[in-house]
Amino acid sequence: MSEIEREAMEYDVVIVGAGPAGLSAAIRLKQLDADLNVVVLEKGSEVGAHILSGAVLDPCGLDALIPDWKEKGAPLNTPVKEDNFYMLGEGGEIRIPNFPMPPLMNNHGNYIVSMGNVCRWMAEQAEGMGVEIFPGMACSELVYGENGEVKGVVAGVFGVEPDGTYGDGTEPGMELHGKYVFLSEGVRGSLAKEVIAKYDLQAGKEPQKFGVGMKEIWEIDPAKHKEGTVTHTMGWPLNGNAGGGSFIYHLENNQVYVGFVVHLNYKNPYLFPYMEFQRFKHHPMVAELLEGGKRVAYGARAISEGGYQSMPKMVAPGAALLGCSVGMVNVPRIKGNHNAMLSGKAAAEAAYAAIQDGRSGDELTDYEADVRSGPIGKDLKKVRNVKPMWSKWGMLPSLALGGLDMWTNTLGFSLFGTLGHGKTDAAATEEASKHKKIDYPKPDGKLSFDRLTNVSFSFTNHEEEQPCHLQLADPNVPLNVNLPKFDEPAQRYCPAGVYEVLEGESGPEFRVNFQNCVHCKTCDIKDPSQNITWVTPQGGEGPNYPNM
């Protein structure tokens, strides 16, 4: 939309996304030079609105960024006291002892936290240092300079007509220019996706792999609550249908975070990740914990799982990718926030050095080198084979061989080298004719819930008159390709019930209920025809996760 005239504001560094990576970058820039002009743009209605509380945080990133975080009141209030690992069967469980686990799997010294509250606290620190933070400002476009470099972003566009055109009531937004632009949008961010494609940053790397993580916050009977307890499970109900597992974290105030992750490289298009999560809660061990309690929030998001070998080139002219825009989750630990913080710190240091040298708009190669050879690379390289082993050989062999590989990597070598991932998650989907439908029990409304009821607990909202932010490259593909070949898996892989196939008067109809979208990006990843593109809606829309 180059014909649109917009005002422009100039900054030293423009940061897209107020998650742990973006806020760490902003804080570090101001630590290095208080006079730098730094802006953070957040599409959520407030900082933390798009981060459903609940994680186990390795504080090493915070230690490096703000060593006196305890004195400054960081909301890390629940140290991990107990680690449990279980293999589930339909009617029981087997405890996996802790002693065979590689040292990196130990949660001693970590904290059960609300990442929403951690980010709110980090935003307070950043604003106190002079960082400008603008929530409710979605970044819808990149701005390119004369030499093809990323020059800035367009933010704050509101009131676009339903057909995508600008009308009399449209606010065209502003251009925010920077010597460097940091993209810390989280998993599968629309601007990061554009940069990766434009500059071919994935060339020579393994395809990125993903999971969909679904989470509920529960308030439970105080007699069952064990503050500081961390539990992870594998096995039932997924068994051989898909990779994945669960987590249950006991924080303060009789609350528990109950989460379930399904790896998106599953083959059977009839698999229904959300219903696998709901079925999981009926396992006797989980049901006993939750009975008598109440669910108070729900959310979902994609998780980057490709690890070390899937990280794209992280820099392009004028731009750097941070945190989950690169994919820095340590899959067996189910942790990425510490690496996100470290990536923000590293990017800030590289940009500061470049600005001191009078540079702008070039590639921050020092940032890339720091990530790959520093603490982030060392963390991810040790576990690089766990995910491909699981994908190739299944859960039990990968449990044994992955554990062995993590142990040997702790000693500095691997018997397996670096394994590849092969197909993308979309390409892994097989035709429905090769599989049987899965019969899922109906939610009981006490432990398990239908999707629309649960989505109401994400407090998601989208203005209905705006353009649909879930764009179909070809509107005929869902019914003409995906339905006959794959029984249109969008009906099932979306954890928010956005996509429906309905029977109309003249045959099947495909409906996109974009108002339900919780911004998980699963559709952008798993659609077997790669026909769906997630783009950012207006600022302030989407989930509004509670402040817990």
Side-chain angles (χ1 to χ4, degrees), residues 20 24-25 27-28 31 57-69 76 109-110 118 121-122 333 336-346 375-376:
S24 294
I27 290 169
R28 185 59 180 152
Q31 288 174 339
L57 178 66
D58 181 339
C60 66
L62 207 52
D63 289 340
L65 184 70
I66 308 175
D68 59 344
W69 54 264
L76 279 66
N110 298 332
V118 170
W121 176 82
M122 292 177 70
R333 298 184 74 200
N337 289 307
H338 63 297
N339 285 336
M341 292 178 181
L342 292 170
S343 76
K345 178 176 178 290
I376 298 172

Side-chain angles (χ1 to χ4, degrees), residues 414-443:
S414 171
L415 299 173
F416 301 93
T418 298
L419 300 178
H421 292 299
K423 299 177 181 178
T424 65
D425 292 331
T429 312
E430 294 181 346
E431 294 189 15
S433 60
K434 297 181 179 181
H435 297 275
K436 295 181 179 180
K437 291 185 178 181
I438 302 173
D439 183 24
Y440 290 100
K442 184 178 180 180

